[in-house]
Every structure is written in structure tokens, then in C-alpha cells.
Amino acid sequence: MTLPSSSKIIIIGGGIVGCSTAYHLAQMGKEVLLLEKAALTSGSTWHAAGLVGQLRSSANITQLLGYSISLYDRLEEETGLATGWKMNGGLRLACNEERWTEVKRQATTAHSFGLDMQLLSAKEAQDLWPLMDIGDVVGAAFLPTDGQASPSDITQALARGARSNGAQLVEQTPVTEILLEKGKLAGVRTPTGDLACEKLVLCCGQWTRDLAASIGITVPLVSVEHQYMVTEAFDVPSNLPTLRDPDRLTYYKEEVGGLIMGGYEPNPIPWAVNGLPEPFDFQLLDSDFDHFEQIMELSLPRVPALERVGIKQLINGPESFTPDGNFILGEAPEMENVFIGAGFNAFGIASGGGAGMALAEWVAKGEAPFDLWPVDIRRFGRPHSDTDWVRTRTLEAYGKHYTMAWPAEEHDSGRPCRRSPLYDRLKEAGAVFGEKLGWERPNWFAEPGEDGHDIYTFQRPNWHGPVGREHKAAREAAALFDQTSFAKFILKGPDAEAALSWVAANRVDRPVGAITYTQMLNDRGGIECDLTCVRTALDEYYIVTGTGFATHDFDWIRRNIPEGMNAQLVDVTSSFSVLSLFGPKAREVLQKVTRSDLSNEAFPFGQARQIGIAGCPVRALRITYVGELGWELHLPTEYAQTVYDALHEAGRPLGLRNAGYRAIETLRLEKGYRAWGSDIGPDHTPDEAGLGWAVKLKSGVAFRGREAIAKQRETGVAKLLATFVADGDVILSGRETIYRDGERCGWLSSGGYGHTIGKSIGIGYVRNEGGVTKDYVLSGSYELEVAAERVKAEITLSPLYDPTMEKIKG
């Protein structure tokens, strides 16, 4: 066919995600052109195994996968093309007590998200899957609505559906270049001519990284060999559920009377390290029987019949994997109107329907249909621009695909990467580090004689006591936290106040030196950012946000500076170290190292001042995230060691301790402080989260999201964030189901332990479609489902630990 000269939207890549995105955009009536360099499905879609599972650790990603199933359920009837879709259910085995705990916790997560995941005995599992030996099986979970599909058939059906709604899908048309004009998207180049477009969607699988990099966009994915075996037919029933056996690293599904069996080995083999070959269409790699032998040896005791059955084929197909095992969606932060849908970690068929729907909405409306932070491209940052680092971390993530998903588990690979100037000092002091966005951050401190590394468990971990020690210091004396990894920006220019006033929900038109805690909202009133702004001059603000939100928050602020305003945003994260000093003796410690007056009259709460410490100009911020008197001390990185030493010298006789991020978590849970990405996000408004006090609705000042908040104030809310205290010594880690008067009403967004109150704490939304008020929340009787068992819980809308404001501010 003859190519048009332009299309409003061009999609590159004809696999399941590209065709699903085209299908959904066409249903919206959008002008769509999909270009595929070879034939549809010719990349990795055609050789995918085709298991379709739903449950993930995020409610919204589970919802997205559930959408895939509802789409596949109706697609054959809609398009007239067979899809191979079967809702035959999915089994997950547990072969030791800790795995059984994990599976029971997964079942609870499923119940939280509205899925009917059933816990079965070993014999009940065998009744559903009679081919397996259950000698070592402790129990199993069954999800009846899981299933399997034919990847190529599903994709062809989506393509037909897209075409029937007006989309053009053109094969044998490679894109050789993305065209820019003055740094902005203009179109694409093909061998038969240039095509203009307004928006571009890259769904090119493992080819996405290099194509995006050609215009300065980072897409952190790498190719990894993934093998599975197809057996000869041996009367396997067609309704056999899919089976995942994580303790043996393997999965199974029925295929034409035989089985497909594959797995995730701990020593994966990277592919195309020095670049992808061209062409590589409908091609496989050489079967590597030696490498697959470890998977085969694990599978034979489970399915003894495999010893007698012929092998039809060992398929070795490269697929794209990511550093955290989640796929990548969204608008590239480096360039407007370029969108990414790639890196599907061998579950692209399960994700394809929902990912295409979400990406189409994002392209058409400029925002995701709901919070998709776990897969948002903006979750990545500076380390992810180095493909060697990405590959190192990705191979670890691949190898952990079926290993135990421990609470608070850290990655080990590619470390250390980004280090605070205090890294060596903290290491000498017993720091046990975690990592976020490449930064090494102290999680907790081991004392001499203690085992200075994490020992993972579903019970109380080995850091429980040390964190309690640090928690106690913050509550009773003083604790010093290295928070150098905070993301820090400067917004500067004649229109800085006007620009920030539009983006921020709280007032920022305050005197120099004032600190504003604020959310930044989308048009639905949802919380896109949760951060602190310091007015440092009439034309300048210093903005501080969480480590992991560096790319996301910078992108949100920059994009929302109104057109024509003279205000520039600059990332200064690497320029400043941060030492946070909190506790009732914080003033006493700090006063010993500075001549500045730290009295409440001279330096009140919510203010920032420049003070001097040991020759260092320090920007001291009187705020707290732990519910105690204290300061964040922001200082040029070259002074970090000097100031750290001075504080410890002054604080030693007063009981000052080093403390880490796990203590920050326990302290903030007691105080009821919210965490973006778990307790609050784009699907939650300030009023729902108990943060309505930080919204300037009465000011008359316009800001993004104002109309939505005003409307919600009139109509009320359907959910409210509350704090729960569980009976007994139960362990809460988040996603436990909340029951009100015996009815499911939500799940915990955060969970942990409060060392001051000596109890397990959870935070989560109480939901009711008919509306929720404070009286409604407090009048209920509550239980939490934890690992498939219910425990009683008390609820509060107030902080569990609440020293008088005089204590914090005085």
C-alpha cells in the first residue's frame, strides 16, 4: 500500500503491545498509522509462551492485567479471528513453609484487589493438575480467572480490530530515523519517504532502546535469552490450568495435547551485548540444552512423565527485560509527544491488552487512566543511562523472577554506584546500606558483634532490634540521618512565584525563608508530587523531594510551568548533601556547633535560615518527617564530612546516634505521615488522604486541580486514609485486606512496626462507593487479613504518636 505523508499518531512496532495500542487508539477515533519493519509479531511476540496471569504487587497493575483478560475474552467474537484464549485458571505451588507464607500473603493481596485466589491443599492442587508429583508440596493457590493464549493469534485479532476502526497497519516498512525540528518531534524517515506526525509511540521491543537513544531518550532494557521446551503430545487435557512452581523455578502450560515447560534460571545469558543483528525477524537462537539442563533437572521430579515424552522443540528466543522486572510505559521525560511501551520481561502477552489500553489513553489524553507508577518510565534515573549497569542489574532481576519475594529485599548488583561523601564514614560506623536510584543509603546500623547484613524473613528480621534502637534515639535523644540522596531542584526566574503558584496546591507566595509543604495535583485532583519548597529569594525556590522521584517530579514541574513564563528549573541534587538531625535534644546538639540563634523565637518551625557550622554555609530547614524537633541541614557536598564529624562530636555526650531509612519508616508510620507511591499518588486527592489543610482553596489563587478539589468538597469523598493498629504480634508489610464490619473495604498501602507504641501499624484507605465520612470510618469494626487469616485492628484518623506541637515547634 502507499504510505500517507503524515499521521497524527505513528506507532513503531507490530507486536502485541503496538497492535493493542493501535486497536485502542482506533476505537477512540484517533488517526493512527502503525509501521512494522518486517511482519506483525516478528520480534518476540511470535515465540512467547503465552501464559496470562493477573496478580501483581500493585492494585493498578493487577487491574491492568485483568483488563487484558476481559479483552481477550471478547476479542474473538468481536473480530472473527481465533485467539487461542482459554480461561483455564492458574496454579502456584509452595514447597516449603516460607514459600507457603509468601503464597498465603499473595492470596491476601489478591483478595485485597478483588481477585478470587483460593488456597488449596497439595491433594486439591493435584486433582486440578494430575500430571504432577506432590511429594514436596505444602500447599497451592489457584486463580480461576487466569489463563493462556496464542500470542500471534491474539495480535492478529487486535490488528484486525484496529483496521476495522480505521487504523492503518503497514508491514515491511522500517523506520530508519526519528526526525526532529528545533529539538521537537517532527516525524519519521522510512526507505520510501518521510512521514510527519504529532505523536510517536515506540513499541519496538528490544529494538526500542537504541531507537529512543538516537534522540536522547533513555529506555533501560536489555535482551536476555529465554528458553522453553515444547513436548510431543501425550494426552494432556486441554483444560489443564497453567502451573507455576517457583521453588523449582519453572512454569507449565498445555499445548496441543503436550506441555510447554520453561523457567527462570539464576544464571541467565545476555544477548546482543554489542548491538542487535539486522535483520532478526521470526528468528530464534540456537537451542542451549546444556544451559537448560538445570531447569530440566528441576522439572523432572515435579512432572515424572517428562522423562518418557519426546521433545518437539527447545525454543530459545531473546526477550527484553528491565532492571526491576516491570515493563516501561509513558511519555518520555526527555521529549514531549514521544511515548514508550516496551521491556515486558516475558509477560507481554499477559500485559499486552491492558498496556495497550493504558498507553492509548496516555497518548490521547496526555495522562495515564490511573496511577501506573510501578511501570512509569519516570521511575528511572541517572544510572539507567548506562547500558552496562542496566544489564548487570537486569540479569539479577531475571534470576530472581521466581525466588522468594522477601519484604524489604534489596538488589545486590551494580553496587555501589552513587555514594554520598559520607559513605565511608557511615560504613565504618556499621551502616548496612540499601539502594535507591543508584544511591547507597544507610538502612540501619549494626553495632560491634552484630551481623551487619540483611537476613530476609517473613518473621521479625535481624534489623528489627537495631532499628528500634535508632527509633528510640530519635524519640528520646537525637538521631542523625544521611539524606544526601534527596532530589533537589532550583526554580529561578522573574516568574518563579507565579509558575510555582500554578503547579503547587499550597501557598508559595510567602516571604523569603518560608518553607511550604505542598502537593502538586493533576486535573482530577490526584497527587502527582508531594514535596517541600523553600523560598530562597524573591525570584528563586529550592525544592526537595524523594530520592526515587527525581525524574518524575522534575518532569512534572517543568511541563507544568505555564507557557510564556520566565522560570527555569535546574536539578542540583549532586551539589548538596543533606544531614537530618531529629529528636528532643536536636537543638541542644546543633547549638553546640553554631553561633546562630536556634531558639524558637529566632528560628521558628517552617522556616529556613543560613547558619554556619565548622566553616560551612548550611541551609537549615526547620521541618520534620519523624514527628520530632529537628532540622534538615543542606550543605555543599565538599563540607559533608566536616559537618558530620562536628555534629557527632557535639552530640556524643547527649546520646546522638546514626540512624537509617528503616527507622525513618517506623517513625513516620507512628506519626501518620504519608508516603508518595504507596499511601498517596495520582489516584488520591488531598482530601481523601487527610491533607486537605495543605490546599489553598480559600485563597482565590488559581492552581492546577483546583476545580476538582472544589467539586469534591461539595460532593464528598468515597475513601479516606486511616491508620490501623493490629492485635497481637502480627507482621504487616502492606497490601493486607481491610474489612469493615465483615465486608472488604480496601487494603493497606503501608505496613510496619511502631517501636514507641510497641505494635504493628498499617495505613490504608477505607472505601465505600456511597461515600465516606470521618464518622463512617470511626464507627466501623475492623479486621485485617494477613496471610489469609483475619486479625482484629483498631482504627484512628489521628497520629498514633503525637507529641505536642510545642515539643516539635518549641
Side-chain angles (χ1 to χ4, degrees), residues 416-749:
C417 180
R418 305 171 83 177
R419 283 180 273 191
S420 155
L422 298 171
Y423 176 81
D424 291 331
R425 287 274 205 293
L426 299 174
K427 195 172 184 179
E428 288 173 13
V432 181
F433 291 93
E435 178 264 336
K436 181 165 279 191
L437 216 64
W439 283 101
E440 292 293 316
R441 311 193 312 171
N443 275 339
W444 59 281
F445 287 81
E447 291 194 338
E450 291 179 338
D451 192 345
H453 73 280
D454 291 342
I455 301 174
Y456 298 118
T457 176
F458 288 106
Q459 307 309 311
R460 295 280 176 224
N462 68 313
W463 61 81
H464 182 74
V467 168
R469 198 165 57 214
E470 296 164 23
H471 184 113
K472 187 177 190 321
R475 290 280 185 251
E476 297 179 6
L480 189 63
F481 303 86
D482 179 13
Q483 295 191 279
T484 295
S485 65
F486 270 151
K488 313 163 206 83
F489 317 135
I490 287 176
L491 180 69
K492 187 172 179 65
D495 297 324
E497 181 191 300
L500 195 56
S501 287
W502 168 250
V503 186
N506 206 348
R507 296 195 72 148
V508 296
D509 55 338
R510 302 171 67 194
V512 172
I515 301 172
T516 300
Y517 166 65
T518 186
Q519 286 76 49
M520 294 175 173
L521 311 180
N522 57 39
D523 291 334
R524 303 186 308 275
I527 299 169
E528 292 285 350
C529 309
D530 178 72
L531 42 73
T532 300
C533 306
V534 183
R535 188 158 205 174
T536 48
L538 289 175
D539 65 346
E540 182 180 282
Y541 291 86
Y542 179 68
I543 300 171
V544 184
T545 189
T547 305
F549 315 134
T551 304
H552 175 278
D553 289 9
F554 187 91
D555 181 65
W556 182 265
I557 298 168
R558 182 185 60 79
R559 286 176 186 264
N560 281 284
I561 296 172
E563 194 172 346
M565 284 196 181
N566 186 353
Q568 291 75 45
L569 189 67
V570 181
D571 188 327
V572 294
T573 298
S574 298
S575 300
F576 295 97
S577 285
V578 182
L579 286 168
S580 295
L581 178 66
F582 295 126
K585 296 183 180 178
R587 177 181 283 117
E588 198 175 343
V589 173
L590 192 57
Q591 192 65 79
K592 289 173 72 173
V593 296
T594 183
R595 286 187 173 274
S596 300
D597 186 350
L598 302 180
S599 67
N600 192 57
E601 294 72 29
F603 199 155
F605 184 78
Q607 293 292 308
R609 299 277 189 274
Q610 182 160 311
I611 66 174
I613 301 176
C616 174
V618 176
R619 179 177 289 149
L621 279 57
R622 268 289 309 276
I623 52 175
T624 179
Y625 190 56
V626 303
E628 296 291 348
L629 172 71
W631 284 263
E632 284 179 12
L633 306 173
H634 294 246
L635 48 135
T637 53
E638 67 268 26
Y639 289 99
Q641 294 182 21
T642 302
V643 172
Y644 172 87
D645 291 344
L647 289 168
H648 269 289
E649 183 68 26
R652 194 171 294 114
L654 297 171
L656 176 67
R657 270 192 181 276
N658 285 310
Y661 273 82
R662 291 192 178 140
I664 291 174
E665 182 68 6
T666 65
L667 291 158
R668 74 99 183 167
L669 284 171
E670 285 188 338
K671 193 66 176 67
Y673 288 135
R674 285 78 168 115
W676 195 91
S678 52
D679 309 317
I680 55 177
D683 293 344
H684 312 117
T685 69
D687 284 8
E688 294 165 347
L691 297 170
W693 56 269
V695 179
K696 60 189 177 205
L697 205 59
K698 295 178 182 177
S699 69
V701 177
F703 61 93
R704 186 167 184 185
R706 180 188 178 91
E707 292 76 12
I709 299 300
K711 183 177 180 182
Q712 191 175 65
R713 293 268 167 100
E714 294 175 5
T715 59
V717 299
K719 61 185 176 190
L720 268 179
L721 194 65
T723 299
F724 299 83
V725 179
D727 278 4
D729 194 34
V730 65
I731 294 170
L732 303 178
S733 55
R735 300 184 298 280
E736 291 83 2
T737 318
I738 305 168
Y739 291 88
R740 180 186 182 275
D741 296 340
E743 298 291 323
R744 180 172 62 89
C745 69
W747 61 89
L748 296 185
S749 49

Side-chain angles (χ1 to χ4, degrees), residues 167-186:
Q168 289 183 275
L169 282 71
V170 184
E171 299 174 282
Q172 307 302 329
T173 307
V175 170
T176 57
E177 186 182 348
I178 299 173
L179 303 175
L180 305 181
E181 202 170 281
K182 295 182 178 178
K184 295 185 177 181
L185 175 69

